[in-house]
Amino acid sequence: MKKILVLFLYLSIISLVIGCGNSATGAKNDNSSTDKNIDVTIILKEKHKEFERKEIKVKNKTDLQTAMNDNFKLELDNGLIISIAGKEQDNAKENTKDCYWIYDVNGTPAMVGANETKLKDGDKIVWDLSAS
């Protein structure tokens, strides 16, 4: 699991560097497509058991981390989500030792950080606090 966390941190750092580079290029945004509100489902699980589900509305192409921050209590550490809705990862006191927050989008495991995942209408995001 530590290898996965290291890989996730590595990918997050790379995406942060790439993201900063892209913002510096001054690329034009098409506001008409980003102003539209879309529907997204967020499901929270602990050890594969659902404990919360929210149907939310966000602007098109909002990143997942922003949507999560606007709709759930989050704690971040160096840009990584370490606690959602008061459930902290890798915490022996909370019986989550060696458990980490991972997510999938429409059934596909995420390969980038939540700040890099752009939401689309109808997306179903499942966060699971588990060891695997």
Side-chain angles (χ1 to χ4, degrees), residues 13-25:
I13 291 169
I14 289 174
S15 61
L16 178 64
V17 170
I18 291 171
C20 289
N22 287 343
S23 66
T25 63

Side-chain angles (χ1 to χ4, degrees), residues 36-101:
K36 178 183 172 195
N37 282 336
I38 59 171
D39 296 310
V40 176
T41 302
I42 307 286
I43 299 169
L44 302 181
K45 294 182 176 184
E46 183 174 358
K47 299 179 182 173
H48 313 296
K49 292 184 182 181
E50 185 176 326
F51 68 88
E52 188 167 352
R53 176 184 296 250
K54 281 189 181 181
E55 307 288 332
I56 63 172
K57 287 193 179 292
V58 297
K59 293 206 180 292
N60 191 34
K61 297 186 180 178
T62 295
D63 67 84
L64 177 57
Q65 187 163 322
T66 299
M68 292 297 295
N69 195 49
D70 290 347
N71 291 279
F72 296 91
K73 179 184 171 201
L74 295 185
E75 287 184 43
L76 302 170
D77 183 20
N78 291 322
L80 297 176
I81 296 172
I82 61 167
S83 176
I84 302 173
K87 297 193 180 275
E88 185 177 351
Q89 67 184 20
D90 198 26
N91 187 322
K93 290 180 183 177
E94 293 184 18
N95 198 27
T96 60
K97 183 76 173 141
D98 297 324
C99 293
Y100 297 90
W101 281 110

